[in-house]
Amino acid sequence: MSKILVTGGLGYIGSHTVVELINAGYEPVIVDDLSNSSPKILDQITKITGHKPVFYQIDLSDDNEVKNLATAEPDITGIIHFAAFKAVGESVELPLKYYRNNIYSLINLLNAYYGKPLNFVFSSSCTVYGQPDVLPVTEKAPTKKAESPYGNTKQIAEEILTDLVASGSSYKVVALRYFNPVGAHSSALIGELPIGVPQNLVPFITQTAIGKREKITVFGDDYDTPDGSCIRDYIHVVDLGKAHVAALKLMEKNNFAGYDVFNIGTGVGNSVLEIIAAFERETGVKLNYQIGPRRSGDIVKVWGDVSKSADQLQWKAERGIGTMMVSAWEWEKYISNNPL
Ligand code: UD1
């Protein structure tokens, strides 16, 4: 069984990917510093899969801890690197915190395993495209100057990995540019665990529906879109987890070039108002929402061209908006009764 190191493996996307790795016959080894996750997620993964992965609580920006990890786990065949901070607003306030955690940790990890033949999957984001000139956006579209240090860390990390592969290193790399991950596992045992007030749309919707928040504000309804609200390509987190397995499989093929990048979305855009309507329709719960001002820095509309992923990764999203909303809601009900 191939061992795969999963950094940030107790986080939202990490935990769903760990489950899909186990389902696909891999042996995940989880690394997480628990800065934005709960150790109880390990028990939840065990309940879902019947397998308890090895877990190391490690800060990847600590050189010694990472060296010790590489000594303790020398025979991994791949790394899926989720561990990173992701709050856009906080990254503007505390850029060094973001560059240290998202860039320095990446370099540290790559250094620790340098010289070994490893398949590396990097969590990138559609944020690298900014507001694309052409939609759906393809992987060939130019990247735009990042709007925040968070966005910049994704661009810089892609560049570091490109240079690393070009140098002839033994790493193979796939960068996955995620669109907007939402939803939760069908068991409702794992899902997104926002700390404090959620910044993202779907956790805010579910917390409003359950009564943790009084109402949700739609950030602007005067954009140049059919209903005036912003459009995103929402992707179910289980489909996203499966994309990482597909990325490993691609790199395991002998003819893989060494570096590639893929859009991971559904290829379909939905507006904020459509998401609210879908949530109400699918769950039967009415949402208290209001229209508010635009949020600074928001992209108006973005959705991905996912034909390259379909052709080369042999991966396609299978879960629609209905499943995304229902699973997010089931998870919200679960954690309200079983705080982790
Ligand atoms: C945001 C980040 C993106 C990052 C992603 C990580 C910004 C500008 N972008 O994406 O770089 O990769 O999170 O998860 O912050 N909305 C509301 N009301 C709310 C919350 C959101 O109307 O209470 C709207 C937003 O204006 C947006 C849509 O919902 O149009 C999705 O927002 P969000 O979930 O925050 O994701 P992004 O902004 O796309």
Side-chain angles (χ1 to χ4, degrees):
M1 244 192 318
S2 269
K3 266 196 197 180
I4 308 294
L5 195 72
V6 186
T7 75
L10 297 182
Y12 174 43
I13 306 173
S15 58
H16 288 83
T17 301
V18 164
V19 169
E20 294 310 318
L21 284 170
I22 295 170
N23 288 343
Y26 288 95
E27 187 183 343
V29 173
I30 296 176
V31 170
D32 203 299
D33 68 357
L34 301 178
S35 63
N36 192 20
S37 57
S38 161
K40 292 184 186 154
I41 294 294
L42 193 61
D43 303 328
Q44 303 294 86
I45 290 169
T46 311
K47 278 185 214 159
I48 294 171
T49 63
H51 174 80
K52 185 168 190 169
V54 172
F55 165 55
Y56 296 89
Q57 185 178 349
I58 285 176
D59 173 359
L60 292 173
S61 64
D62 183 313
D63 303 25
N64 279 329
E65 287 189 18
V66 176
K67 272 189 205 136
N68 292 340
L69 171 71
T71 307
E73 295 292 345
D75 56 351
I76 56 168
T77 62
I79 300 178
I80 306 183
H81 182 52
F82 294 106
F85 292 145
K86 59 174 184 180
V88 176
E90 187 191 44
S91 79
V92 177
E93 305 289 321
L94 300 170
L96 295 182
K97 177 176 171 180
Y98 275 69
Y99 288 115
R100 180 178 171 82
N101 195 50
N102 294 11
I103 300 298
Y104 185 69
S105 295
L106 168 71
I107 294 170
N108 225 0
L109 183 63
L110 292 167
N111 258 330
Y113 283 100
Y114 194 80
K116 298 207 173 197
L118 283 182
N119 300 328
F120 193 93
V121 186
F122 177 67
S123 301
S124 191
S125 165
C126 68
T127 194
V128 301
Y129 298 122
Q131 177 59 64
D133 302 320
V134 180
L135 289 168
V137 64
T138 73
E139 292 85 349
K140 290 196 176 124
T143 57
K144 299 267 173 79
K145 183 171 168 28
E147 298 259 356
S148 67
Y150 159 78
N152 207 20
T153 65
K154 295 299 175 191
Q155 295 199 7
I156 294 169
E158 283 196 12
E159 285 168 9
I160 290 171
L161 291 163
T162 307
D163 290 345
L164 181 66
V165 171
S167 74
S169 109
S170 52
Y171 279 106
K172 292 179 187 176
V173 176
V174 164
L176 299 179
R177 291 178 177 162
Y178 311 154
F179 285 70
N180 285 55
V182 299
H185 192 259
S186 57
S187 63
L189 291 170
I190 53 175
E192 193 166 4
L193 269 178
I195 293 177
V197 182
Q199 306 296 311
N200 297 116
L201 178 64
V202 172
F204 210 107
I205 287 177
T206 57
Q207 289 199 5
T208 305
I210 207 134
K212 279 189 204 162
R213 313 273 155 215
E214 191 203 332
K215 61 180 167 218
I216 173 154
T217 301
V218 175
F219 296 144
D221 72 344
D222 56 353
Y223 285 103
D224 178 22
T225 60
D227 65 19
S229 63
C230 292
I231 297 178
R232 298 285 184 275
D233 181 340
Y234 295 91
I235 165 89
H236 195 292
V237 67
V238 171
D239 284 329
L240 182 50
K242 288 176 186 287
H244 295 78
V245 175
L248 289 176
K249 300 256 180 237
L250 178 70
M251 286 185 280
E252 285 163 11
K253 290 184 188 157
N254 288 332
N255 58 356
F256 180 75
Y259 180 88
D260 215 339
V261 54
F262 295 95
N263 283 344
I264 303 297
T266 61
V268 176
N270 281 106
S271 72
V272 177
L273 289 168
E274 283 171 347
I275 293 294
I276 289 176
F279 180 84
E280 292 184 330
R281 184 179 65 239
E282 297 292 333
T283 64
V285 181
K286 284 272 156 241
L287 271 177
N288 184 16
Y289 72 91
Q290 65 179 13
I291 307 296
R294 294 178 174 194
R295 179 172 71 178
S296 121
D298 257 341
I299 299 302
V300 181
K301 46 188 165 183
V302 62
W303 59 95
D305 181 318
V306 289
S307 50
K308 185 179 173 191
S309 303
D311 291 346
Q312 295 178 36
L313 268 187
Q314 311 277 298
W315 170 91
K316 254 173 106 170
E318 288 169 356
R319 291 158 184 79
I321 290 290
T323 311
M324 297 182 209
M325 295 302 121
V326 169
S327 62
W329 180 229
E330 291 304 315
W331 163 246
E332 183 69 58
K333 288 190 283 185
Y334 175 82
I335 38 162
S336 297
N337 291 323
N338 309 276
L340 293 176

